[in-house]
Amino acid sequence: MKTELRFTPAASAPSELLAVFAADTSASKDKDAKPEVTLLTSDEAVRKTANFVLATGEFKAEANETLLLHAPEGLAATRLLIVGLGKGAKADPHAIRRAAGTAVRFAKPRNIRSLAILVPEGNFDPTQSTRAIAEGAILADFDSDTYRTDRKDRSIEAVSVLVPSGVDKSRAEAGHREGVIIAESQNFARTLINEPGNRMTPTILGQRAADMAAETGLKCEVHSTDKLRELKMGAFLSVAQGSDEPPALIILTYDPEGAPDGPVMGLVGKGITFDTGGISIKPADNMEKMKYDMAGGAAMIGAMRAIAQLKPAVKVIAVVCAAENMPSGKAVKPGDITFAMSGKSIEVVNTDAEGRMVLADGLHYARELGATRLIDAATLTGAVAIALGQINAGVFANDEDAYQHFTNALAISGEKFWRLPVEDEYRDQIRSSIADIQNTGLTRYGGATNAAMFLKEFVGDTPWLHLDIAGLAWQDAEKPWLAKGPTGVAVRSIIEWVRSYA
Ligand code: BES
Ligand code: ZN
Ligand code: ZN
């Protein structure tokens, strides 16, 4: 999809479909109050055509509600689509992102290949709204049915973002450019996540990261078994040893000229390209989903792609630990002892708790490479989805300032994360009688925190955030603005978190 800004009046822009936003600006808090539908454009021709149907009251401007008009009078477009933003007259880029996505996904099955989206007028920041439209449109264009031989490519070829007169051109352009970079990077992560285990091995993930790095000017190193042995990454190696596929330690470096020596941002991702559970094997039901167990690693690779282009003045290192978790005669067994790179001994009580094992060495290594702020992303526990459902992902923090940066990042990204505890009172859960720690909690209670407590053993006093995205990395049902399948959750928040240190 190509998106471009246009500074032509809405009525005279020819297109297969013109999307215009409307909000419910009624001040009443009562849910059943009559909506006050406000069309967010001053274009007279659009208003005239739309007002006729809006007067019927059948369109309530609820979030992502749509109303289609064919052959709208006085417009160069052949269709006019009104999309609801929901309640509120003030600027909400998150509602705009979704509504723009809804317009694109409305168009896709109707064989429309190009559309125009009108930047809303009113109390809307032009940088934020052009960015939100570009993001929403590009994210909505993604579909996951890559391997259907009867696949009809319903991609939208072109989206024109129509900027009303009076809007600052350079601010609109800046927002649009950011939106394109960020959403294309999130889609890049989604493409990686969508691939099945046989087409996304650790080696292939390393190759995809290296190709991306070559395109964007990042430094990239991909290492395998020998180097892991040299680095004494016993925890990471213990996960990889059951598979015929060699592991990949992927290191991406962004070191811009003129950036201060510190902070150095360390991004660490879980890249399990398939998680069978190993000897503690998972039940067959839903096991096919475990191809997305590299979503945290993909999020880091996607974030680095955007960072390379947005060029914030801050150093960033990403470490992705990719392996396949398989049962075999060589696989790690419950009860086995391994030594992490940090020197800590670990009792492997459950081989299905493999994500924390690879991250233990990834986090330690990122610090050795010089990271002074850490963030990791992982589809780490089913327990986080039990606790938070599929609306919020989990965030854990050992540092209030780093967490504050993250909540600021969420305000920009629009993603939802809910904080869960990693306090020392929970440490008893990972005590082992034979080794320094064990890789599962003594009880099932607080499983997401137990996993976070395990990771905490490897970050020392470095400010650190842990994102458990197990509940949100994959979406089973389509939303009006987003396809089902890989979501690319966390990519946007990680990008903004990094930028907040520049
Ligand atoms: N990859 C899974 C977590 C997961 C579950 C991701 C559901 C996405 C959806 C992880 O490696 C795992 O198996 N965790 C175990 C930990 C347990 C053995 C302590 C879990 O959550 O059951
Ligand atoms: Zn597992
Ligand atoms: Zn896993």
Side-chain angles (χ1 to χ4, degrees):
M1 173 193 278
K2 245 187 75 216
T3 65
E4 55 172 3
L5 287 187
R6 282 176 176 248
F7 298 86
T8 40
S12 59
S15 72
E16 292 177 65
L17 182 144
L18 170 66
V20 45
F21 300 129
D24 174 4
T25 52
S26 152
S28 167
K29 290 233 160 45
D30 181 359
K31 242 177 58 254
D32 302 319
K34 197 169 164 294
E36 187 181 290
V37 177
T38 305
L39 209 58
L40 300 171
T41 175
S42 59
D43 187 290
E44 276 311 321
V46 174
R47 292 185 68 84
K48 201 168 154 223
T49 316
N51 279 339
F52 180 73
V53 62
L54 293 183
T56 65
E58 67 193 63
F59 180 82
K60 301 188 171 55
E62 282 169 11
N64 307 300
E65 184 184 354
T66 51
L67 178 76
L68 179 70
L69 297 172
H70 282 274
E73 208 186 305
L75 303 186
T78 48
R79 299 176 190 83
L80 178 67
L81 181 73
I82 309 172
V83 187
L85 289 181
K87 227 171 158 101
K90 61 171 180 11
D92 183 2
H94 310 312
I96 296 173
R97 186 187 298 108
R98 288 183 174 187
T102 300
V104 164
R105 293 200 69 77
F106 183 94
K108 287 192 87 173
R110 290 174 172 82
N111 271 327
I112 295 168
R113 297 285 74 94
S114 72
L115 62 146
I117 302 176
L118 189 48
V119 175
E121 286 172 69
N123 187 15
F124 295 97
D125 176 274
T127 315
Q128 283 187 6
S129 34
T130 50
R131 172 175 166 177
I133 290 172
E135 285 180 2
I138 293 167
L139 294 172
D141 198 37
F142 179 96
D143 269 301
S144 59
D145 57 348
T146 336
Y147 292 110
R148 292 183 73 140
T149 53
D150 63 346
R151 181 176 202 247
K152 310 222 177 3
D153 185 6
R154 299 185 188 279
S155 298
I156 300 291
E157 279 153 25
V159 171
S160 309
V161 181
L162 303 181
V163 186
S165 63
V167 167
D168 184 292
K169 192 173 165 181
S170 64
R171 290 185 61 203
E173 273 165 354
H176 176 253
R177 179 178 169 272
E178 282 191 12
V180 171
I181 292 171
I182 291 167
E184 285 181 349
S185 297
Q186 186 171 338
N187 279 354
F188 176 60
R190 293 165 85 193
T191 305
L192 300 175
I193 298 163
N194 197 41
E195 291 297 318
N198 65 332
R199 291 178 166 263
M200 186 48 68
T201 61
T203 309
I204 297 172
L205 186 61
Q207 192 54 53
R208 298 293 294 271
D211 293 347
M212 179 279 285
E215 275 166 32
T216 56
L218 293 169
K219 198 175 137 219
C220 180
E221 287 172 46
V222 184
H223 300 294
S224 195
T225 315
D226 290 348
K227 178 77 172 182
L228 301 201
R229 288 211 180 105
E230 191 187 306
L231 292 170
K232 299 196 161 59
M233 290 187 157
F236 186 176
L237 276 166
S238 75
V239 175
Q241 76 190 43
S243 172
D244 288 347
E245 289 294 339
L249 171 66
I250 304 165
I251 305 144
L252 292 162
T253 313
Y254 169 72
D255 190 0
E257 236 171 84
D261 289 341
V264 178
M265 315 306 291
L267 279 46
V268 182
K270 169 177 174 180
I272 299 299
T273 57
F274 196 80
D275 182 11
T276 65
I279 296 296
S280 315
I281 197 161
K282 288 180 181 294
D285 269 1
N286 288 319
M287 201 206 272
E288 77 284 358
K289 290 277 169 56
M290 284 300 112
K291 67 172 190 170
Y292 75 74
D293 212 20
M294 34 63 76
M300 294 314 181
I301 297 170
M304 288 303 280
R305 181 189 180 280
I307 288 163
Q309 296 173 74
L310 295 168
K311 303 197 187 310
V314 61
K315 297 184 189 215
V316 192
I317 303 166
V319 175
V320 175
C321 301
E324 198 182 57
N325 188 22
M326 294 286 280
S328 79
K330 294 204 173 72
V332 68
K333 302 174 293 298
D336 283 0
I337 302 291
T338 64
F339 283 86
M341 187 186 183
S342 74
K344 277 200 175 139
S345 58
I346 302 169
E347 180 187 3
V348 180
V349 169
N350 190 316
T351 66
D352 197 11
E354 84 298 339
R356 63 198 78 178
M357 300 291 288
V358 303
L359 289 175
D361 285 341
L363 287 163
H364 182 84
Y365 187 51
R367 290 174 74 210
E368 293 227 322
L369 292 175
T372 59
R373 297 283 185 290
L374 288 169
I375 190 166
D376 74 68
T379 46
L380 204 61
T381 67
V384 80
I386 302 292
L388 299 174
Q390 296 190 290
I391 304 295
N392 279 278
V395 52
F396 302 77
N398 69 350
D399 180 85
E400 294 313 306
D401 182 61
Y403 180 69
Q404 188 56 53
H405 276 264
F406 191 70
T407 55
N408 295 344
L410 293 181
I412 304 171
S413 73
E415 295 188 315
K416 285 173 87 86
F417 280 80
W418 199 266
R419 189 172 183 179
L420 293 167
V422 254
E423 299 168 302
D424 289 335
E425 285 99 304
Y426 291 96
R427 179 144 195 309
D428 277 351
Q429 285 289 319
I430 55 166
R431 245 190 8 224
S432 161
S433 48
I434 185 170
D436 295 335
I437 47 173
Q438 63 179 41
N439 78 335
T440 59
L442 286 169
T443 68
R444 290 168 49 241
Y445 303 128
T449 286
N450 295 342
M453 288 304 295
F454 183 92
L455 299 181
K456 195 180 173 193
E457 295 288 313
F458 300 93
V459 300
D461 51 12
T462 306
W464 157 72
L465 298 173
H466 158 53
L467 311 180
D468 193 339
I469 56 171
L472 272 90
W474 193 269
Q475 192 170 269
D476 287 319
E478 182 177 23
K479 300 253 171 65
W481 60 89
L482 209 69
K484 62 181 175 185
T487 60
V489 67
V491 171
R492 296 205 305 274
S493 302
I494 293 161
I495 296 167
E496 295 308 330
W497 184 73
V498 166
R499 293 172 94 193
S500 76
Y501 286 90

